[in-house]
Amino acid sequence: MITIRIFDTRNEAESAKKILEEGGIHTTILEDKFEGVPIQEYGVAARFRLNVEDRDFPKTTKFLADKLKKES
């Protein structure tokens, strides 16, 4: 798995996941934890990692680059 970006909230990560999945890219969101406990329980800000499979990384970078070109 390759982390594409780390988000502060699950909602932000879910929004990004939706965009990538509309492009046909399967993603997963993992919450940072320490020994199975969310890190915010230890006074550390929450982090949510948006990941893609290694084999999908080239497709992901192309999809995001094309999306950025269209928006500029």
Side-chain angles (χ1 to χ4, degrees):
M1 296 295 277
I2 296 175
T3 299
I4 298 301
R5 183 168 171 188
I6 299 172
F7 294 91
D8 294 331
T9 68
R10 180 171 295 279
N11 285 342
E12 291 173 337
E14 291 287 347
S15 293
K17 176 182 174 84
K18 182 179 176 184
I19 291 167
L20 289 175
E21 290 189 343
E22 287 172 359
I25 300 163
H26 176 72
T27 63
T28 57
I29 297 172
L30 297 176
E31 181 179 5
D32 283 0
K33 296 182 178 185
F34 177 72
E35 295 186 0
V37 178
I39 61 175
Q40 58 270 30
E41 296 291 323
Y42 298 100
V44 178
R47 292 187 304 241
F48 299 88
R49 297 172 186 270
L50 182 64
N51 299 317
V52 298
E53 293 288 337
D54 293 20
R55 69 179 180 270
D56 290 336
F57 184 69
K59 179 180 175 181
T60 303
T61 57
K62 181 173 180 355
F63 173 77
L64 292 173
D66 290 346
K67 191 156 189 65
L68 286 171
K69 284 179 188 175
K70 288 178 186 176
E71 290 182 8
S72 48

